Every structure is written in structure tokens, then in C-alpha cells.
């Protein structure tokens, strides 16, 4: 995995302090922590309904001392912002090309040195959607790492890390459990997603 803002000394410390101050000023509360025995995992980023999710996710990651990577459409990695997006932990994804993103992501997680948390929004878009994509699930299953249920609840101004979930391979049963957990949270534009 490439060097990011989360692994840059001094900058990391300064941005953690700024993130904690900003979240406190805006009235956000944080809950949970990454279990020490789970240095590598897939973080579900849900609900994902707004462009504001990225800056808030980055601030929460600093506050909780995470080393995150996230996937975004390749258009946001073009000049002049591409280098910045990669430094913020971004990994460009070509949504139009049918490549095996799941296998590549799982392999990258397995090979990574040290703690790595890969954030994947299950909606796959900020637009209105009814169904979750299962890429996050299969990345974790193939990499043999757990899923940590991260959340951001805008009405309550609450964000953090929920329970650790180990994929069983029964995607339908596991997705029902995961979505039941997330039914309690609302994104910034909560009407964008139907939790059925």
C-alpha cells in the first residue's frame, strides 16, 4: 500500500489534534475503537449518502488512530487533485472496466505490512440506491480478515466503530445481519437509501 497522510509523521499528529477539535466543536461524538488483534480489516463505510462523508471519515480516522485506505471513482484522481487524493488514502477504481477488483483488493490486504483498514461503502454510490453491493464482504472473505462495522449517524452526530464481523461465506444470511445492525443509523441524506 502507498504512503498516506495517516503514515506521515508530524502531519498525522497535527491533523489528529485538528480533527478532534473540529469534531468536538461541531458536536460530534465518537464511539468504539479498533480491536488491537485486528490490525488488518475491511471497514464498512455506511451509510454513504453525501460528499461530506469523506472529510468526516478522514477526521474520524485521525481521531481513532486508523490507517485507512478508501476506493473512489477514477475521475477524482485526475490532475490536479490525483496526488492529493492518493495521499489521503484513495485508491482509484475504474467502474466501467470489468476487472477483478475484489481479488486485487484482497491480495493487497494480505500483502500489506502493518495495520491497514480498507474502507468500502457498500452502496457504491452517494446517489439513491436500494441494494448494497457485496464487494466489501468478498474482499474480507478472500483476504481472511474481519469486517468492522464503521458508521456515521448525522442526526445524532455520532460516528465510530461497531462490532467485528467475521464473514461465514453465506453472503445472504450475513448481509441480513449486517444490514439489521445498520438500520439504526442515518446518513446526511438518509432518504437516499432504503434499508430493506
Amino acid at each position: 500500500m502507498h504512503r498516506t497522510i495517516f503514515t506521515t509523521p508530524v502531519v498525522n499528529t497535527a491533523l489528529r489534534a485538528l480533527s478532534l477539535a473540529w469534531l468536538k466543536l461541531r458536536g460530534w461524538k465518537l464511539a468504539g475503537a479498533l480491536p488491537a488483534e485486528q490490525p488488518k480489516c475491511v471497514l464498512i463505510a455506511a451509510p454513504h449518502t453525501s460528499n461530506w462523508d469523506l472529510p468526516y471519515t478522514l477526521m474520524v480516522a485521525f481521531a481513532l488512530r486508523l490507517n485507512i485506505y478508501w476506493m473512489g471513482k477514477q475521475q477524482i484522481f485526475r490532475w490536479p487533485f490525483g496526488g492529493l487524493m492518493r495521499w489521503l488514502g484513495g485508491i482509484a477504481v475504474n467502474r466501467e472496466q470489468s476487472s477483478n477488483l475484489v481479488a486485487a483488493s484482497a491480495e493487497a490486504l494480505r500483502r500489506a505490512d502493518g495495520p491497514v483498514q480498507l474502507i468500502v461503502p457498500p452502496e457504491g454510490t452517494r446517489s439513491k440506491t436500494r441494494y448494497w453491493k457485496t464487494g466489501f464482504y468478498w474482499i474480507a472473505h478472500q483476504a481472511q480478515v474481519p469486517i468492522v462495522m464503521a458508521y456515521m449517524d448525522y442526526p445524532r452526530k455520532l460516528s465510530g466503530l461497531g462490532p467485528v464481523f467475521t464473514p461465514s461465506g453465506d453472503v445472504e444470511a450475513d448481509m441480513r445481519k449486517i444490514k439489521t445492525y445498520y438500520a439504526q443509523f442515518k446518513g446526511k441524506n438518509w432518504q437516499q437509501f432504503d434499508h430493506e
Side-chain angles (χ1 to χ4, degrees):
M1 297 284 193
H2 58 273
R3 182 179 201 82
T4 70
I5 197 167
F6 301 99
T7 57
T8 304
V10 181
V11 174
N12 179 303
T13 303
L15 288 176
R16 181 171 191 271
L18 285 172
S19 296
L20 285 167
W22 175 261
L23 291 167
K24 185 175 182 179
L25 181 69
R26 301 296 295 172
W28 281 81
K29 296 181 259 344
L30 301 178
L34 191 68
E37 69 279 4
Q38 307 298 343
K40 292 183 185 180
C41 62
V42 171
L43 295 179
I44 298 175
H48 178 41
T49 62
S50 166
N51 285 332
W52 283 104
D53 294 345
L54 177 59
Y56 274 110
T57 296
L58 295 173
M59 286 186 280
V60 169
F62 278 117
L64 296 179
R65 299 182 188 273
L66 302 177
N67 182 27
I68 64 165
Y69 290 84
W70 50 274
M71 294 185 220
K73 59 184 178 182
Q74 66 180 6
Q75 288 85 341
I76 66 172
F77 290 87
R78 292 184 181 147
W79 190 88
F81 300 111
L84 174 63
M85 291 298 175
R86 280 184 281 281
W87 191 51
L88 293 174
I91 299 168
V93 173
N94 183 352
R95 293 180 179 174
E96 295 166 4
Q97 182 181 12
S98 60
S99 57
N100 199 339
L101 182 62
V102 167
S105 300
E107 182 65 18
L109 266 177
R110 279 194 299 268
R111 289 184 178 205
D113 290 329
V116 174
Q117 296 85 49
L118 178 64
I119 293 184
V120 184
E123 294 95 339
T125 178
R126 294 175 320 279
S127 303
K128 186 171 179 66
T129 185
R130 184 169 186 172
Y131 302 103
W132 277 11
K133 297 178 187 278
T134 57
F136 74 90
Y137 180 90
W138 293 115
I139 291 169
H141 189 262
Q142 288 185 26
Q144 298 180 327
V145 300
I147 294 167
V148 175
M149 296 197 266
Y151 56 86
M152 193 164 293
D153 191 324
Y154 281 83
R156 292 186 286 170
K157 292 190 173 181
L158 176 66
S159 185
L161 302 177
V164 174
F165 187 89
T166 302
S168 70
D170 183 346
V171 67
E172 288 184 22
D174 287 350
M175 288 296 285
R176 277 194 300 275
K177 292 175 189 172
I178 291 168
K179 288 178 81 174
T180 296
Y181 175 77
Y182 277 97
Q184 65 186 303
F185 304 116
K186 289 187 176 180
K188 184 168 181 58
N189 302 311
W190 58 269
Q191 65 282 9
Q192 297 281 67
F193 183 71
D194 180 349
H195 281 284
E196 288 181 17

